[in-house]
C-alpha cells in the first residue's frame, strides 16, 4: 500500500513478531469498518497486513444468503449440511490466515463475530502455540442510530440482500442480530491482550497491550470514526511564478478565476450530494485544509468572500510556526458554515537543487542523480531536496487528522501532497505515487466506506493553468500540459515512459475495493 514508513531486513516492523487480531462483536457494530481502516494504516506504515473476512469468504465460497440452508444463521440445532458448510467456511478462513503468515505477512485481522468465549479461546490457542501474538478487538455499540445506519449503508448492500426491499432487508438483518445476542459473550477474560472500542471511537479500553506496533494500533484506533463525510481534493490555482518552490508566488488573474469557479463547483456538487442522502447542507460544516503557501490558501479565499475585510486581512499573513491556523469559522452573513485551516506540513515536495530546472537541464547538470531518480522516483532524494518517501513521513500527522476529521473536508493542495494522501486512502503501492497525475481543474470526490472508498472525478476548469495550445494549434484538454520547469512537483506530467495514473484511474481503482460501489463518473462543466 501507499508509503511504507519503516522497513527492516526481516520484513517485520521493529521485530514486533506476528500478530493475529480477532475482531469480536455483534453484527453491524462497525467491525468491518475498523478492520479495513486499520489494514490501510498498517500497510502504509510498511507492515504486511491482511484482513480475512469470514463474511466475504462465505459469500465467495457459498454465495449469497439465498443459496444457504434456512437454518444457516439461526441458533439452535442445525442440520448436518449446515454444520458442514459452516465448518468449511471457518476452516477456509483459518487456512488463509496460516498461508499469509507463512508467506511473510506480519498482521492478520480476522473480521468475524467471534461472539462466544469458547470459540475465540480455541482459535487463539492454536495460533499462540505457533508463537503468534493474539489480540482481541471488540467493538461494542449501543447507539441505535449507528447500528441502523451501518445496516442500511453496508449490510443490505451486500450480495446477501441483492434484490431485496430495503426495509425487509433491514428487518431480516435485525433478526440475525437478535439471534446472535442470545449467545454473545462480551470479553471479560484477561487471558489475552484486548482492545474494546465503544460506539466506533467514542471510548476505548485496553488490556495488556505491549510494544511499539501494538501501541501504534491502539493510537490509530483512538482516532477513527464511521460518521458519514465526504473528502474533496483539488489543486491550487495557477500562480504568477508557476515553477518556483522558493518564490511562494501569489495567484495569477487566471488563478483567482479558478478559485472562484472551484468554490461554485464544490458548493453546488456538495449541496446536491448531501440532499440526495437526506442531509441539509446548511447543517453541516465544510472544513478546508490548505498549505501555508500563498497560492494554496488564497485559492480558499472565495469560500470566505463575504467575511469582513479585517478577517481576510488577518488570514493573508498567517504565521508559519508549524501550528495549524484556522482562518475563520464562518463567513459572516453568508449562511455558509466553513472553516479554513492552513497546515505547514502540507507544503509541496522540496525539489532542492532541481528547483526550476527543466528535465533536460537536470539530466545535463546532474546525470548521476538523474539516473537514480528515473530508477526509483519514490525513494530518490535530489541534493538538498525531499524524496516522496520523505514527504510521506512528513504527512503522517495529516493522515491521522484525516481519519479523525468528522466534517466534510476539502483539501486544496499541491499535486505531490495530494498524490500521497490519495495513495493512502486508496491503497496504491508506493512505486506509483510519483506517477499519479493530479490535473488542475479536476475535483476528486472520495467517500470513505466500510469496504474501501467510493470516488468520482469531476472536471470543472479549462482556463489558465490547465488549457494549453498544442503544436498543431489545437487545444489539448483532459490532461495537464507538460511544464517546462518544476518537473519534480509535476513528475507525472513530465517524465516519459512511466505509467500515468489520472484522477479518473484513481476513481476506478478505488471502486474496485469493495462491494456495491458507485460507478465513477466524469462530468464536464457547462
Amino acid at each position: 500500500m501507499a508509503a511504507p514508513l519503516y522497513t527492516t531486513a526481516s520484513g517485520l516492523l521493529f521485530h514486533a513478531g506476528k500478530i493475529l487480531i480477532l475482531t469480536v462483536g455483534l453484527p453491524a457494530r462497525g467491525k468491518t469498518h475498523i478492520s479495513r481502516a486499520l489494514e490501510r494504516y498498517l500497510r502504509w506504515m510498511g507492515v504486511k497486513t491482511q484482513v480475512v473476512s469470514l463474511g466475504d469468504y462465505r459469500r465467495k465460497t457459498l454465495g449469497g444468503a439465498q443459496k444457504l440452508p434456512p437454518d444457516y444463521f439461526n441458533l439452535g440445532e442445525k442440520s448436518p449440511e449446515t454444520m458442514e458448510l459452516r465448518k468449511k467456511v471457518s476452516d477456509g478462513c483459518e487456512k488463509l490466515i496460516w498461508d499469509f503468515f507463512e508467506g511473510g505477512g506480519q498482521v492478520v485481522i480476522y473480521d468475524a463475530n467471534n461472539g462466544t468465549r469458547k470459540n475465540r479461546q480455541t482459535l487463539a490457542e492454536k495460533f499462540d502455540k505457533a508463537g503468534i501474538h493474539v489480540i482481541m478487538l471488540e467493538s461494542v455499540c449501543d447507539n441505535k442510530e449507528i447500528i441502523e445506519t451501518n445496516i442500511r449503508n453496508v449490510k443490505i448492500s451486500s450480495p446477501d440482500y441483492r434484490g431485496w426491499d430495503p426495509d425487509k432487508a433491514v428487518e431480516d438483518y435485525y433478526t440475525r442480530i437478535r439471534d446472535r445476542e442470545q449467545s454473545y459473550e462480551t470479553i471479560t477474560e484477561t487471558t489475552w491482550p484486548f482492545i474494546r472500542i465503544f460506539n466506533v471511537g467514542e471510548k476505548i479500553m485496553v488490556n495488556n497491550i505491549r510494544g511499539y506496533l501494538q501501541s501504534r494500533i491502539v493510537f490509530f484506533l483512538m482516532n477513527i470514526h464511521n460518521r458519514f463525510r465526504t473528502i474533496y481534493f483539488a489543486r491550487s490555482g495557477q500562480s504568477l511564478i508557476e515553477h518556483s518552490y522558493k518564490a511562494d508566488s501569489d495567484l495569477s488573474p487566471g488563478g483567482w478565476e479558478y478559485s472562484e469557479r472551484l468554490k461554485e463547483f464544490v458548493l453546488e456538487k456538495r449541496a446536491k450530494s448531501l440532499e440526495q442522502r437526506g442531509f441539509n447542507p446548511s447543517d453541516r460544516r465544510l472544513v478546508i485544509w490548505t498549505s501555508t503557501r500563498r497560492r494554496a490558501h488564497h485559492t480558499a479565499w472565495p469560500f470566505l468572500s463575504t467575511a469582513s475585510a479585517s478577517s481576510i486581512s488577518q488570514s493573508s499573513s498567517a504565521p508559519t510556526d508549524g501550528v495549524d491556523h484556522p482562518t475563520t469559522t464562518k463567513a459572516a452573513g453568508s449562511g455558509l458554515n466553513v472553516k479554513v485551516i492552513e497546515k505547514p506540513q502540507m507544503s509541496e515536495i522540496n525539489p532542492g537543487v532541481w528547483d526550476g530546472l527543466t528535465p533536460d537541464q537536470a539530466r545535463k547538470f546532474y546525470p548521476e542523480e538523474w539516473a537514480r531518480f528515473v530508477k526509483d522516483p519514490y525513494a530518490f532524494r535530489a541534493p538538498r531536496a525531499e524524496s516522496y518517501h520523505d514527504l510521506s513521513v512528513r504527512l503522517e500527522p495529516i493522515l491521522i487528522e484525516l481519519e479523525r476529521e468528522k466534517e466534510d473536508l476539502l483539501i486544496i493542495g499541491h499535486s505531490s501532497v495530494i498524490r500521497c494522501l490519495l495513495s493512502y486512502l486508496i491503497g496504491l503501492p508506493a512505486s506509483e505515487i510519483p506517477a499519479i497525475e493530479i490535473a488542475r481543474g479536476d475535483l476528486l470526490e472520495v467517500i470513505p466506506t466500510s469496504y474501501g472508498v467510493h470516488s468520482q472525478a469531476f472536471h470543472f476548469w479549462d482556463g489558465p493553468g490547465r488549457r494549453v495550445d498544442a503544436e498543431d494549434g489545437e487545444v489539448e484538454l483532459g490532461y495537464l500540459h507538460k511544464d517546462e520547469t518544476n518537473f519534480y512537483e509535476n513528475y507525472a506530467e513530465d517524465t516519459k515512459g512511466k505509467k500515468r495514473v489520472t484522477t479518473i484511474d484513481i476513481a476506478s481503482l478505488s471502486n474496485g475495493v469493495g462491494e456495491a460501489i458507485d460507478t465513477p463518473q466524469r462530468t464536464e462543466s457547462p
Side-chain angles (χ1 to χ4, degrees):
M1 201 161 168
L5 293 187
Y6 316 102
T7 57
T8 61
S10 66
L12 302 180
L13 184 68
F14 292 100
H15 309 289
K18 298 182 179 182
I19 299 173
L20 172 63
I21 300 175
L22 298 178
T23 67
V24 179
L26 290 166
R29 263 53 179 184
K31 297 186 300 299
T32 296
H33 169 81
I34 293 169
S35 299
R36 297 293 178 182
L38 182 57
E39 177 192 42
R40 179 173 66 236
Y41 179 69
L42 291 177
R43 284 185 175 179
W44 176 78
M45 284 185 64
V47 180
K48 295 179 180 178
T49 307
Q50 179 172 299
V51 170
V52 174
S53 169
L54 184 140
D56 287 349
Y57 183 83
R58 187 257 303 163
R59 285 185 284 268
K60 180 180 179 180
T61 306
L62 306 181
Q66 303 89 337
K67 299 181 180 180
L68 299 175
D71 62 343
Y72 191 90
F73 294 107
N74 297 335
L75 290 178
E77 189 175 346
K78 302 184 187 300
S79 66
E81 177 191 7
T82 296
M83 296 296 292
E84 183 179 349
L85 290 176
R86 292 179 71 89
K87 187 176 187 305
K88 177 181 178 181
V89 171
S90 61
D91 288 349
C93 288
E94 283 190 39
K95 185 178 186 305
L96 290 178
I97 296 172
W98 286 115
D99 289 347
F100 184 73
F101 281 136
E102 292 171 1
Q106 183 166 17
V107 177
V108 172
I109 306 167
Y110 185 28
D111 179 15
N113 291 334
N114 294 312
T116 64
R117 188 176 297 110
K118 179 181 178 181
N119 287 348
R120 59 181 178 253
Q121 179 75 15
T122 300
L123 190 61
E125 288 176 352
K126 286 183 184 179
F127 288 92
D128 181 65
K129 290 178 180 178
I132 295 170
H133 303 291
V134 178
I135 298 175
M136 306 288 182
L137 175 57
E138 183 176 20
S139 181
V140 180
C141 185
D142 57 9
N143 186 315
K144 294 182 179 179
E145 182 180 349
I146 292 177
I147 295 172
E148 180 157 350
T149 298
N150 189 46
I151 292 173
R152 290 189 178 277
N153 290 348
V154 182
K155 299 303 182 183
I156 66 174
S157 299
S158 78
D160 287 347
Y161 294 105
R162 188 163 291 156
W164 281 52
D165 175 83
D167 292 332
K168 290 183 178 179
V170 170
E171 181 181 349
D172 181 80
Y173 203 81
Y174 269 121
T175 301
R176 286 196 201 179
I177 294 175
R178 285 191 291 269
D179 286 344
R180 291 288 184 275
E181 286 176 338
Q182 297 179 37
S183 62
Y184 182 76
E185 297 173 297
T186 189
I187 294 178
T188 56
E189 65 272 26
T190 58
T191 308
W192 311 100
F194 69 75
I195 305 167
R196 183 179 292 143
I197 301 177
F198 296 86
N199 292 327
V200 196
E202 183 180 288
K203 184 172 68 173
I204 190 167
M205 178 187 299
V206 299
N207 170 67
N208 201 26
I209 296 297
R210 300 180 178 179
Y212 177 83
L213 182 53
Q214 294 185 26
S215 298
R216 293 294 293 187
I217 290 171
V218 173
F219 169 72
F220 176 77
L221 294 176
M222 290 173 65
N223 289 282
I224 66 171
H225 63 87
N226 69 341
R227 174 174 169 169
F228 171 79
R229 44 80 182 258
T230 303
I231 304 171
Y232 298 96
F233 293 93
R235 282 188 63 170
S236 56
Q238 183 190 52
S239 57
L240 291 168
I241 305 176
E242 184 75 345
H243 310 300
S244 174
Y245 174 83
K246 298 175 182 178
D248 191 17
S249 173
D250 205 344
L251 292 174
S252 68
W256 286 109
E257 292 178 17
Y258 169 91
S259 64
E260 289 286 350
R261 178 59 186 140
L262 173 63
K263 180 204 71 173
E264 295 170 1
F265 191 80
V266 168
L267 296 183
E268 177 186 355
K269 183 62 62 180
R270 176 172 175 263
K272 188 179 299 184
S273 176
L274 289 175
E275 289 169 358
Q276 289 175 348
R277 294 178 177 270
F279 296 104
N280 184 346
S282 62
D283 293 339
R284 294 174 63 93
R285 182 165 64 177
L286 175 64
V287 177
I288 302 175
W289 290 356
T290 77
S291 74
T292 53
R293 309 288 281 186
R294 286 188 178 89
R295 64 182 179 276
H297 68 82
H298 285 185
T299 303
W301 275 15
F303 290 89
L304 309 171
S305 58
T306 57
S308 65
S310 61
S311 297
I312 296 177
S313 175
Q314 291 173 7
S315 68
S316 65
S317 57
T320 56
D321 53 4
V323 180
D324 297 340
H325 300 284
T327 302
T328 186
T329 56
K330 193 167 186 178
S334 68
L336 173 63
N337 194 352
V338 62
K339 181 179 183 179
V340 178
I341 304 175
E342 298 171 20
K343 294 183 175 292
Q345 303 99 318
M346 285 177 52
S347 293
E348 73 269 39
I349 194 169
N350 186 342
V353 297
W354 286 359
D355 186 25
L357 297 183
T358 66
D360 288 340
Q361 289 171 332
R363 187 184 297 108
K364 176 181 178 181
F365 299 133
Y366 302 93
E368 295 182 4
E369 288 82 358
W370 176 265
R372 292 166 58 196
F373 168 67
V374 172
K375 184 178 180 180
D376 189 358
Y378 172 77
F380 174 75
R381 181 189 299 115
R384 296 194 291 280
E386 286 181 301
S387 67
Y388 270 96
H389 179 80
D390 297 329
L391 177 60
S392 297
V393 174
R394 166 155 58 93
L395 288 172
E396 182 179 13
I398 299 296
L399 299 182
I400 296 298
E401 291 186 54
L402 189 66
E403 294 288 353
R404 187 166 58 233
E405 181 60 65
K406 295 182 179 180
E407 308 289 349
D408 293 332
L409 178 64
L410 168 61
I411 296 177
I412 300 175
H414 313 283
S415 56
S416 54
V417 172
I418 295 176
R419 286 175 186 132
C420 293
L421 298 179
L422 282 175
S423 297
Y424 167 74
L425 287 172
I426 293 168
L428 290 176
S431 60
E432 293 186 16
I433 291 177
I436 300 172
E437 179 180 353
I438 307 298
R440 180 179 285 129
D442 282 354
L443 177 73
L444 191 63
E445 177 189 78
V446 177
I447 302 176
T449 70
S450 293
Y451 289 95
V453 295
H454 296 193
S455 65
Q456 300 183 77
F458 303 95
H459 172 56
F460 67 92
W461 175 256
D462 283 321
R466 169 149 182 135
R467 184 182 62 222
V468 63
D469 292 333
E471 292 182 0
D472 58 2
E474 297 179 352
V475 176
E476 179 188 354
L477 298 177
Y479 295 99
L480 269 179
H481 63 283
K482 291 186 176 182
D483 292 326
E484 290 302 322
T485 53
N486 199 27
F487 71 94
Y488 201 39
E489 165 73 2
N490 296 297
Y491 171 74
E493 296 80 44
D494 288 287
T495 303
K496 298 180 180 179
K498 296 292 182 181
K499 178 181 178 182
R500 296 207 316 183
V501 183
T502 68
T503 49
I504 306 305
D505 297 325
I506 292 227
S508 301
L509 286 168
S510 65
N511 289 344
V513 174
E515 305 173 37
I517 304 298
D518 299 333
T519 302
Q521 300 176 0
R522 182 180 180 86
T523 63
E524 299 295 328
S525 57

